[in-house]
Amino acid sequence: MSQRRCLSIILAAGEGTRMKSALPKVLHPLAGLPLVAHAVNAARNGGDVDVALVVGHGGEAVRHAVLPFAPEAEVFIQEQRLGTAHAVLAAREKIARGYDDILVMFGDTPLVETEALDALRAGIAGGAAVAVMGFRAPDPTGYGRLIEKDGALVAIREEREASAVERRIDFCNGGIMAIAGDRTLALLDAVGNANAKGEFYLTDIVEIATSQGLNVVATTAPYESVLGINTRVELAEAEAIWQRRRRRALMLAGVSMTAPDTVQLCHDTQIAQDVTIEPNVVFGPGVRVASGARIRAFSHLEGASVAENAEIGPYARLRPGSQIGESAKVGNFCEVKNAVVDSGAKVNHLSYIGDAHIGAKANIGAGTITCNYDGFLKHHTEIGAGAFIGSNSSLVAPVTIHDGGYVASGSVITRDVPADALAFGRARQENKEGLGKTLRDKLAAEKAAKARK
Ligand code: UD1
Ligand code: CA
């Protein structure tokens, strides 16, 4: 497809009231990415594709959400919602600039795959004026029906205008279409609004093209590709489908998942070959896991990178800015934030490591806390290579434990520890002979006196 110039027009002027939300429908996230951005990405993966976004009145929020994914996307406003053909014409000026293929997509249809779009464009490249993405609907109610004659698509009949016989057709319009660029404006301008809804239906261009002796084709896409989101129930269904697809793709690419249905991925999760993901792991945005690493059960990762053969969890939390080195370990009930843990270092139990750098092969004992925040500012903790931090230590940042430094358990470290030094940051222990028994006898007597009252 790369030789043909394509304009993808994404319609997103719906009110989306059935979402019951202050957020515009197409900005609700699927796998952590706004619905409309999924449509943009599917279009752009098809090669040299320009993007036009048609938003309704006050579509600023939608425009801003799309910009990071398609900085060069042009936004057009459809002031009044007069139908899908009218919406496409909001981008008239851009269509007129001359494209081989015009691809009409919906902002609330996030699961469409690039291959299905390519199939439509292939229809146009093959000489059709219009190519329609059809699908077999388990329940066709509400969809436009594809009316075929002698094997050719001749019309799309919307539910409200369909006869009883036509309503029995289960081959439906998925909503996505490709139109030959040089015919698009003439076809759209010929659409009228004499129908039950009083709207300018994009779907009417099929009958118009046929009446002009032009060729129209339909492709058959899987139902999932055209699933439109209207409610949060459908949003959750689409999420489940997306997750299933992506897990399957990862497993086929060499990632092991012991209970795939319990693993939640994000749109940009990158997991290399020979990584094992145990049950109930959640990936937020911006996670990269290198080969041989193991993400153990009930871990939560976001904005983190995990190097080769590292082990995370069970029950670990990696927050943004976590960089876990090769063969390093972050164990149960540990939280890491904005911290680099070098290769072979271990943070195995009940620790908080924030705004820190931990050198190679350092060992961080159970319950160690980097006290990075004084209520106003965040401060850095530096732990050198091979350092040993005894259990239940508090490292009050800013502070540096130099290479090989050894911190005694239960220390509160407020001053730098020189290389290979042993630091005690706790009161010295004293033993008083016999005093334990004296105390116990006294307390027992007090309790007995109280009971007699
Ligand atoms: C549309 C199709 C129908 C198809 C179905 C698939 C038409 C006339 N009908 O019906 O054949 O089976 O999709 O889901 O095209 N929009 C605008 N401006 C408008 C009207 C709509 O931007 O003035 C956008 C909406 O935001 C939405 C999309 O176009 O993303 C579809 O509009 P909608 O009213 O939902 O069409 P359907 O009745 O579902
Ligand atoms: Ca719809």
Side-chain angles (χ1 to χ4, degrees), residues 25 81 106 108 143 228-230:
K25 175 168 81 172
R81 204 177 185 276
F106 294 164
D108 66 357
Y143 291 107
I229 313 292
N230 299 301

Side-chain angles (χ1 to χ4, degrees), residues 181-403:
D182 54 355
R183 305 215 182 257
T184 303
L185 290 177
L187 288 170
L188 289 170
D189 282 331
V191 172
N193 65 348
N195 53 51
K197 270 172 123 179
E199 281 190 0
F200 294 90
Y201 288 163
L202 172 63
T203 44
D204 282 355
I205 66 169
V206 171
E207 209 161 354
I208 294 166
T210 304
S211 72
Q212 294 175 2
L214 300 171
N215 233 348
V216 180
V217 295
T219 61
T220 306
Y223 174 53
E224 297 178 352
S225 290
V226 297
L227 190 73
I229 313 292
N230 299 301
T231 65
R232 297 195 202 224
V233 174
E234 287 165 350
L235 179 62
E237 283 165 7
E239 177 82 39
I241 293 167
W242 188 96
Q243 293 288 340
R244 209 177 312 126
R245 275 187 186 172
R246 185 55 64 92
R247 288 187 299 245
R248 187 182 149 76
L250 282 174
M251 288 186 280
L252 290 173
V255 175
S256 282
M257 297 188 190
T258 43
D261 289 350
T262 67
V263 174
Q264 183 83 13
L265 301 161
C266 197
H267 68 99
D268 60 353
T269 308
Q270 293 177 41
I271 305 180
Q273 194 178 312
D274 287 320
V275 167
T276 297
I277 314 286
E278 291 187 3
N280 296 296
V281 172
V282 176
F283 292 93
V287 177
R288 235 179 27 222
V289 183
S291 74
R294 189 176 189 92
I295 312 297
R296 306 205 54 196
F298 295 98
S299 293
H300 189 285
L301 299 80
E302 56 189 320
S305 69
V306 177
E308 284 79 4
N309 303 313
E311 191 175 313
I312 307 300
Y315 299 97
R317 177 164 186 212
L318 301 186
R319 289 172 53 203
S322 299
Q323 294 177 44
I324 312 303
E326 209 179 312
S327 304
K329 280 173 116 179
V330 176
N332 40 252
F333 308 108
C334 292
E335 174 178 342
V336 179
K337 183 217 77 169
N338 186 33
V340 176
V341 178
D342 282 348
S343 60
K346 290 179 185 161
V347 186
N348 271 340
H349 333 269
L350 302 152
S351 283
Y352 172 63
I353 304 297
D355 303 305
H357 170 222
I358 298 178
K361 297 208 163 137
N363 187 90
I364 310 299
T368 297
I369 304 290
T370 54
C371 308
N372 60 327
Y373 186 50
D374 56 17
F376 294 91
L377 293 169
K378 302 278 167 68
H379 302 282
H380 182 84
T381 300
E382 183 70 28
I383 299 175
F388 182 95
I389 311 297
S391 296
N392 203 31
S393 291
S394 300
L395 310 176
V396 182
V399 72
T400 298
I401 320 298
H402 290 276
D403 290 357

Side-chain angles (χ1 to χ4, degrees), residues 10-16 25-26 54-56 78 80-88 104-109 135 140 142-146 156-159 172-177 195 197 199-204 226-230:
I10 299 176
L11 306 187
E15 298 100 67
K25 175 168 81 172
V26 296
V54 178
V55 298
Q78 186 195 20
Q80 275 180 296
R81 204 177 185 276
L82 300 180
T84 42
H86 180 260
V88 176
V104 180
M105 299 168 67
F106 294 164
D108 66 357
T109 305
F135 71 104
Y143 291 107
R145 310 300 205 282
L146 301 189
I156 301 178
R157 197 80 72 229
E158 291 304 304
E159 172 90 13
C172 293
N173 174 24
I176 297 168
M177 264 185 212
N195 53 51
K197 270 172 123 179
E199 281 190 0
F200 294 90
Y201 288 163
L202 172 63
T203 44
D204 282 355
V226 297
L227 190 73
I229 313 292
N230 299 301

